Amino acid sequence: MNIIDVDSKIIEIRGTKVLLDSDVASLYGVQTKEVNQAVKNNQDKFPDGYIITVNKNEKCELVKNFDQFNSLKHSYVQIK
């Protein structure tokens, strides 16, 4: 059994502690696209503010400041 340190995956965005979709997927042993599809298909099951989308500037700050986000460098991000 692999023990995952969830605390090390938590980051703060806009004053809110969050886990990235890729980290949630890793915790559940699924692909990120499966987590996103589940959220998209079940939006009514999540309270307002439970899911946030980072904007382009926030994504750039994450990549610049945290090595763990290098994989996001060239990823698509929805801007809201």
Side-chain angles (χ1 to χ4, degrees):
M1 176 198 285
N2 291 335
I3 297 175
I4 300 171
D5 181 13
V6 176
D7 288 339
S8 70
K9 303 289 185 184
I10 296 172
I11 61 169
E12 192 168 310
I13 298 177
R14 297 181 219 142
T16 302
K17 292 182 179 183
V18 300
L19 284 172
L20 295 179
D21 54 357
S22 57
D23 291 331
V24 172
S26 176
L27 290 170
Y28 284 97
V30 299
Q31 294 181 350
T32 303
K33 67 180 181 178
E34 293 177 77
V35 170
N36 291 326
Q37 190 65 42
V39 168
K40 181 179 175 184
N41 291 338
N42 298 286
Q43 291 180 4
D44 57 326
K45 294 185 179 184
F46 299 96
D48 288 340
Y50 189 81
I51 303 204
I52 66 169
T53 302
V54 296
N55 62 39
K56 188 174 183 176
N57 291 335
E58 289 168 328
K59 178 186 143 187
C60 290
E61 282 296 312
L62 287 172
V63 170
K64 183 172 84 173
N65 294 318
F66 299 97
D67 290 338
Q68 74 190 68
F69 300 116
N70 282 336
S71 64
L72 297 176
K73 188 179 282 188
H74 301 293
S75 70
Y76 171 76
V77 64
Q78 293 180 350
I79 300 173
K80 289 189 174 185

